[in-house]
Amino acid sequence: MAASAADVDSHDGQNAGLQTAKDLFSGAVGGIAQVLIGQPFDIVKVRLQTSTQYSSALTAAASIYKHEGALAFYKGTLTPLLGIGACVSIQFGAFHSARRFLEQRRAATDKSFIPGVSNLGYGEYYAAGAFAGVANSVISGPIEHVRIRLQAQPHGAGRLYSGPWDCVRKLSQQAGGVLPGLYRGEVVTVLREAQAYGLWFLAFEWLMNADAARNKIDRKEIPSYKIALYGGLAGEALWLGSYPLDVVKSKMQTDGFGAGQKYKSMRDCFAQTFRAEGMRGFWKGIGPTLLRAMPVSAGTFAVVEMTMRAIN
């Protein structure tokens, strides 16, 4: 994983700026892999979250395939393909920058702590991951908003947007500006990103450190298949710990504008969802999401690791 490669580089005395650039590049490559693997699962998740017409993930997938064709599973892919690479790049770059900062702070007060060798506390890993999530939300908010609009729109004659740029234009017109149009639901997006990526990186670091300690090896010696496995398990932790926030985000980002707006705020969306559907309403679509999380997260960490090893 990028963290172990970064540790090796720090021992070699490489410039922190160069290492951050490597983290960013590796994350971008991992982000592209993430989109290509996860997009079909994601469209099913969004349809389940934002509609009541499907009784299950299988029903939703079958309906999409029957009425819209196989290519419908890649609706709205252009936006995330261009943007998620940047998002994952920011996630890994911000996480490792925050991790190095926390290591230096620990080393200043604890002489036995060796940056790049000693492990941080898991609260610190969570904090570094949450920082990465918040940094990422600036880009991920509007990107996911456009993607969700494209995924949730009707098929055929009822189509609302001809593509991502048309979606951006119409959202800006309806909301009275680019920022209010694109950043709908940004508060809950920030909360979701902080919680999700705090747990994502925390789970991965715990699994990697535990493996290294159990087998008495350096982290860089952990084989790629284990990195993929631990990355996949981290993906499960990410969604189990943040899914209700994601449901509210999806509902707000498919809501109307003006007289057609159903939810006045994040709090109102939580309240209306609970009144209408109970706690179950906050977990609609969790099945395909968890199925998606394992290969997507595994692929992301594995590709980041392979890219980092190649450029090092």
Side-chain angles (χ1 to χ4, degrees):
M1 209 286 282
S4 61
D7 295 340
V8 173
D9 284 347
S10 65
H11 291 316
D12 292 339
Q14 286 196 0
N15 180 273
L18 176 60
Q19 184 56 47
T20 297
K22 289 182 177 182
D23 292 333
L24 290 169
F25 177 75
S26 299
V29 178
I32 293 171
Q34 183 180 113
V35 173
L36 295 177
I37 296 169
Q39 189 72 357
F41 294 95
D42 196 63
I43 190 170
V44 173
K45 180 200 77 169
V46 169
R47 294 289 180 91
L48 286 168
Q49 287 179 338
T50 60
S51 172
T52 57
Q53 70 181 98
Y54 307 111
S55 60
S56 68
L58 188 59
T59 301
S63 177
I64 292 169
Y65 181 78
K66 179 180 178 181
H67 298 292
E68 303 174 48
L71 291 179
F73 289 102
Y74 281 90
K75 265 187 176 182
T77 300
L78 178 60
T79 303
L81 196 60
L82 295 174
I84 297 301
C87 288
V88 180
S89 175
I90 290 171
Q91 289 164 19
F92 279 88
F95 172 76
H96 290 305
S97 292
R99 179 183 57 80
R100 285 189 286 270
F101 169 79
L102 292 171
E103 286 178 341
Q104 291 168 2
R105 191 180 70 168
R106 281 282 297 276
T109 57
D110 182 358
K111 300 306 179 183
S112 65
F113 186 89
I114 305 174
V117 177
S118 304
N119 295 325
L120 290 170
Y122 291 114
E124 291 168 307
Y125 283 129
Y126 177 87
F131 171 77
V134 173
N136 172 61
S137 66
V138 177
I139 296 179
S140 69
I143 287 172
E144 291 200 13
H145 186 187
V146 172
R147 176 171 65 171
I148 285 173
R149 293 278 180 183
L150 292 171
Q151 289 175 333
Q153 70 174 332
H155 183 62
R159 193 177 181 188
L160 301 174
Y161 314 107
S162 61
W165 302 118
D166 183 51
C167 182
V168 170
R169 180 178 62 82
K170 288 179 178 177
L171 289 176
S172 300
Q173 290 174 345
Q174 292 170 330
V178 175
L179 291 181
L182 290 182
Y183 281 91
R184 164 72 67 84
E186 186 64 11
V187 173
V188 72
T189 298
V190 171
L191 293 175
R192 188 206 68 165
E193 298 289 78
Q195 169 72 349
Y197 291 103
L199 291 172
W200 197 48
F201 284 108
L202 166 60
F204 184 79
E205 293 297 321
W206 181 79
L207 290 165
M208 289 289 285
N209 290 343
D211 187 291
R214 183 171 60 252
N215 295 299
K216 296 180 173 58
I217 58 174
D218 193 279
R219 280 179 51 136
K220 67 179 182 293
E221 298 176 68
I222 297 175
S224 297
Y225 79 89
K226 283 190 174 182
I227 293 170
L229 173 62
Y230 298 153
L233 292 173
E236 302 294 293
L238 180 156
W239 285 109
L240 287 171
S242 65
Y243 197 76
L245 292 167
D246 188 71
V247 169
V248 171
K249 181 186 77 70
S250 293
K251 285 178 178 289
M252 294 186 70
Q253 290 183 334
T254 52
D255 197 10
F257 292 90
Q261 184 170 338
K262 182 178 179 180
Y263 307 111
K264 298 177 182 178
S265 64
M266 176 182 70
R267 182 176 180 180
D268 182 48
C269 186
F270 269 106
Q272 287 197 46
T273 301
F274 183 74
R275 283 198 299 268
E277 305 172 68
M279 288 303 297
R280 184 178 180 181
F282 295 106
W283 296 97
K284 285 177 67 176
I286 187 64
T289 300
L290 293 177
L291 286 174
R292 169 188 180 273
M294 179 63 79
V296 167
S297 187
T300 301
F301 277 105
V303 169
V304 168
E305 165 67 10
M306 292 302 101
T307 303
M308 183 61 73
R309 290 181 180 180
I311 62 178
N312 278 331

